[in-house]
Amino acid sequence: MKLGLSVVLPLLLGALLWGPGPGPGVRADCGPCQPSSCPPAQCKVPELRGKDECGCCERCLGVQGELCGGEGLKHGRCAPGYVCLTSAGGERQQQQQQQEQKEEEEEEGTGSCVCKHDYPVCGSDSSTYPTICALHLASWLSVHRLQGKIHKTHDGECKYAPVVILSPTSVQNVTGAQVYLACEVKAVPTPIVTWRKVTESPKGIKLLEELPGDRVNVAVQVRGGPSKHESTGWVLINPLTKEDEGVYQCHASNILGEVQTEGTIKVTEKVPKAKGKKKDGLQKEEN
């Protein structure tokens, strides 16, 4: 099939004007590539190496929190799985009011690398990673240390048995006072916390009394926190009696296990104030 001059000439003219082009993702103002003049790319792992904006020199790809973008992509690109996120105008202005930022961070178009999937994952090493991107980086580092690959076992934090974060301390006070014991425990799933008083039977056998039970001067409270998957429990005694002296056990459990930690309360009898001494003295003087 023969093409007329009216069709061929525009095609030839377009080829001369635009040529083959620099290819996708490559700047049009890049000069000839000279690999010998490229600076060495010392990245955390080889998997984080990529071509620069001209498709010539190797440079490190950014990971979580590292700078990216900027004029002419001076800060480079993010690694696979990350996006270059720039602050909105209002947010950037607020940040500038709070603290002085570096000139390069204030530059238009400069952002930081953020993982596309912002949720924690559990690795095969039983460690929880904030994102799948963090797990991939840890896996690459592990492989290059000859420690094997780390893969994702499931979304969300790794499950584990309760661990004591804060144990109850020993308390000493007088009868009639108000005292409390507290403990913090962490686990996934979140643990259930209960309190028990350790008593001893006449035969010397240790018994665990669930609190508060029927004790009118004892209150037990449990809440979540202060951190995620943590539980904090308190036992409050008011007024304190001599019978409240002893060992108190904070017990925590979930489907994977249980743990307990103990604190003690020592009680001293409060000595009542002497009465009538002053009146007696006055009476003696009068006599």
Side-chain angles (χ1 to χ4, degrees):
M1 184 178 65
K2 295 183 179 179
L3 298 176
L5 290 176
S6 61
V7 176
V8 175
L9 287 176
L11 291 175
L12 291 174
L13 182 61
L16 290 173
L17 289 175
W18 292 288
V26 179
R27 283 169 30 187
D29 59 345
C30 294
C33 180
Q34 297 179 346
S36 59
S37 62
C38 293
Q42 297 179 344
C43 310
K44 295 178 181 178
V45 288
E47 289 84 353
L48 292 178
R49 288 199 187 104
K51 295 295 184 181
D52 62 9
E53 60 274 15
C54 290
C56 177
C57 299
E58 284 190 336
R59 68 182 304 173
C60 298
L61 301 173
V63 294
Q64 189 73 28
E66 294 184 346
L67 290 178
C68 57
E71 185 179 356
L73 281 176
K74 64 178 290 187
H75 301 300
R77 297 182 176 88
C78 298
Y82 293 87
V83 292
C84 188
L85 189 65
T86 57
S87 299
E91 294 178 358
R92 183 169 293 278
Q93 185 177 4
Q94 184 179 4
Q95 291 173 358
Q96 289 174 351
Q97 292 174 353
Q98 292 175 352
Q99 61 180 0
E100 291 185 2
Q101 296 182 338
K102 295 181 181 179
E103 183 178 347
E104 60 182 6
E105 293 177 345
E106 295 175 350
E107 182 184 286
E108 187 69 25
T110 297
S112 57
C113 297
V114 178
C115 188
K116 294 178 182 178
H117 305 288
D118 186 20
Y119 53 83
V121 295
C122 180
S124 55
D125 60 346
S126 299
S127 297
T128 298
Y129 295 90
T131 62
I132 187 66
C133 303
L135 184 145
H136 288 158
L137 178 57
S139 181
W140 291 332
L141 291 168
S142 179
V143 168
H144 291 289
R145 293 176 188 145
L146 304 179
Q147 295 174 349
K149 186 177 180 181
I150 302 171
H151 62 270
K152 185 184 82 170
T153 56
H154 60 79
D155 292 336
E157 296 189 34
C158 296
K159 296 177 173 60
Y160 57 92
V163 177
V164 176
I165 304 299
L166 176 66
S167 296
T169 57
S170 296
V171 176
Q172 183 172 358
N173 215 321
V174 297
T175 53
Q178 174 179 295
V179 298
Y180 75 93
L181 298 174
C183 73
E184 294 176 18
V185 186
K186 185 170 184 177
V188 180
T190 304
I192 297 172
V193 174
T194 57
W195 283 91
R196 303 164 177 172
K197 187 173 189 294
V198 182
T199 59
E200 194 170 300
S201 69
K203 295 183 179 180
I205 300 174
K206 284 189 175 182
L207 303 174
L208 298 176
E209 176 191 353
E210 295 287 343
L211 296 177
D214 59 354
R215 293 173 177 261
V216 295
N217 66 328
V218 176
V220 171
Q221 182 181 6
V222 179
R223 70 167 179 83
S227 301
K228 189 177 180 182
H229 297 301
E230 281 189 15
S231 290
T232 301
W234 295 270
V235 58
L236 175 69
I237 304 176
N238 185 30
L240 187 66
T241 67
K242 189 64 179 175
E243 290 74 24
D244 297 317
E245 188 172 77
V247 178
Y248 289 78
Q249 183 186 93
C250 174
H251 179 269
S253 63
N254 69 359
I255 59 174
L256 296 177
E258 58 183 329
V259 70
Q260 52 271 333
T261 180
E262 296 178 347
T264 60
I265 295 178
K266 293 184 179 181
V267 183
T268 304
E269 291 283 359
K270 187 176 182 180
V271 180
K273 292 182 179 179
K275 296 181 179 180
K277 285 186 177 180
K278 189 173 181 181
K279 289 183 178 179
D280 291 344
L282 290 173
Q283 288 175 358
K284 287 180 181 179
E285 289 178 3
E286 288 175 0
N287 292 334

